Amino acid sequence: MNGKEQIAAVLAHEVKNPVSLIKMNVQYIKDFCPKALENNFTVIEKELEKLNHIINDYTIMAENTKKENIEMIFIDELLSDIIEEYNLTPYDKKIEFVLDSPDDVKLYGDYNKINILFFNIYKNAIEAIKNKGIIKTTVTPDIGKTTITIEDNGGGISPVVLNNLGTPFVTTKENGSGLGILICKNIVHEHKGKIDFENTDNGCVVTVELPNYLFSNFKTIKST
């Protein structure tokens, strides 16, 4: 970990603890304050939540600098686990997940990082959908690579943001930092893959290509 990465990790750690303490105290004080101040507490809580998102993003970026743990990943199982987790999470919207994947599709990479990659992509798709929508995932294995496309009907991304995805603080989210996409791009790059974002008629499609061969130190050493 270089100097800048160490600073990011330390900063995220040192800021996260007081933020958590502030949130707990704000909630406690709120219970004893008059209703007239309720909007003020709402503003404080929203800003603290925004700060918490930024801290989490920087923490992930710092963790992504660690040495990769390359292993065989069954991508259909990984995606199914993420989708199940989101299905168990209560939302004020109705979302249908569709997964079209052959069984036992294998690729090689760092499981934790690949999990973060698709967790972020699904999170963005869910947040793009207003009230009711569908998120369709298609897994297509090929020689040397596996392509995963995730398409939503959330209305798409504005051209200005689409052309600058991955730039810090360029985001469509009210409390976003823009670091989520940057993290995704870094993970895909580390795995010698490709990631593209494209608007459709009524939403956005993310296309991820990842190698399904075994590699070490970013060099191919065995084909499957």
Side-chain angles (χ1 to χ4, degrees):
M1 185 180 292
N2 62 37
K4 290 182 179 179
E5 291 159 356
Q6 286 180 327
I7 291 172
V10 170
L11 180 63
H13 180 269
E14 292 302 317
V15 174
K16 196 165 189 175
N17 287 335
V19 166
S20 299
L21 192 60
I22 291 169
K23 287 179 69 174
M24 287 189 292
N25 278 275
V26 166
Q27 185 60 51
Y28 176 78
I29 297 171
K30 181 180 178 181
D31 294 336
F32 295 93
C33 284
K35 288 285 185 180
L37 297 176
E38 192 169 297
N39 289 337
N40 299 85
F41 280 105
T42 299
V43 171
I44 294 172
E45 289 170 341
K46 286 180 66 177
E47 292 304 308
L48 284 171
E49 189 62 30
K50 183 191 299 183
L51 183 57
N52 197 48
H53 280 304
I54 294 172
I55 294 168
N56 287 337
D57 287 339
Y58 272 110
T59 301
I60 293 172
M61 288 185 71
E63 289 176 349
N64 281 342
T65 64
K66 296 178 182 178
K67 184 178 179 181
E68 287 73 23
N69 179 29
I70 306 303
E71 59 186 302
M72 186 172 66
I73 301 169
F74 290 94
I75 189 64
D76 53 324
E77 292 182 6
L78 183 146
L79 295 175
S80 295
D81 288 344
I82 296 174
I83 290 172
E84 182 179 5
E85 185 174 346
Y86 275 120
N87 272 327
L88 294 173
T89 303
Y91 293 102
D92 57 351
K93 57 185 76 174
K94 185 176 181 180
I95 298 175
E96 178 186 0
F97 289 92
V98 177
L99 175 58
D100 181 8
S101 173
D103 293 335
D104 300 333
V105 178
K106 300 185 293 290
L107 55 85
Y108 289 87
D110 185 308
Y111 182 92
N112 289 330
K113 291 185 179 182
I114 298 298
N115 190 286
I116 290 170
L117 165 66
F118 288 107
F119 193 91
N120 274 335
I121 294 174
Y122 281 121
K123 180 174 179 286
N124 288 338
I126 291 168
E127 291 176 346
I129 293 171
K130 298 297 186 289
N131 299 309
K132 181 180 180 181
I134 184 170
I135 299 174
K136 182 178 180 180
T137 305
T138 305
V139 178
T140 308
D142 201 350
I143 298 175
K145 68 179 181 181
T146 295
T147 302
I148 302 98
T149 60
I150 300 175
E151 183 175 355
D152 66 66
N153 59 349
I157 306 170
S158 71
V160 173
V161 175
L162 186 63
N163 292 332
N164 293 280
L165 283 176
T167 302
F169 303 105
V170 174
T171 177
T172 58
K173 304 174 189 175
E174 181 181 354
N175 295 324
S177 64
L179 296 176
I181 298 299
L182 178 59
I183 290 167
C184 289
K185 286 187 171 184
N186 286 342
I187 292 173
V188 172
H189 177 73
E190 289 174 5
H191 285 77
K192 299 182 71 69
K194 297 179 181 179
I195 182 169
D196 291 302
F197 301 82
E198 184 180 0
N199 280 328
T200 60
D201 290 339
N202 61 348
C204 177
V205 58
V206 183
T207 303
V208 179
E209 290 183 5
L210 292 170
N212 51 21
Y213 52 78
L214 184 62
F215 64 96
S216 177
N217 295 325
F218 307 125
K219 294 180 181 179
T220 306
I221 62 173
K222 178 182 177 183
S223 297
T224 56

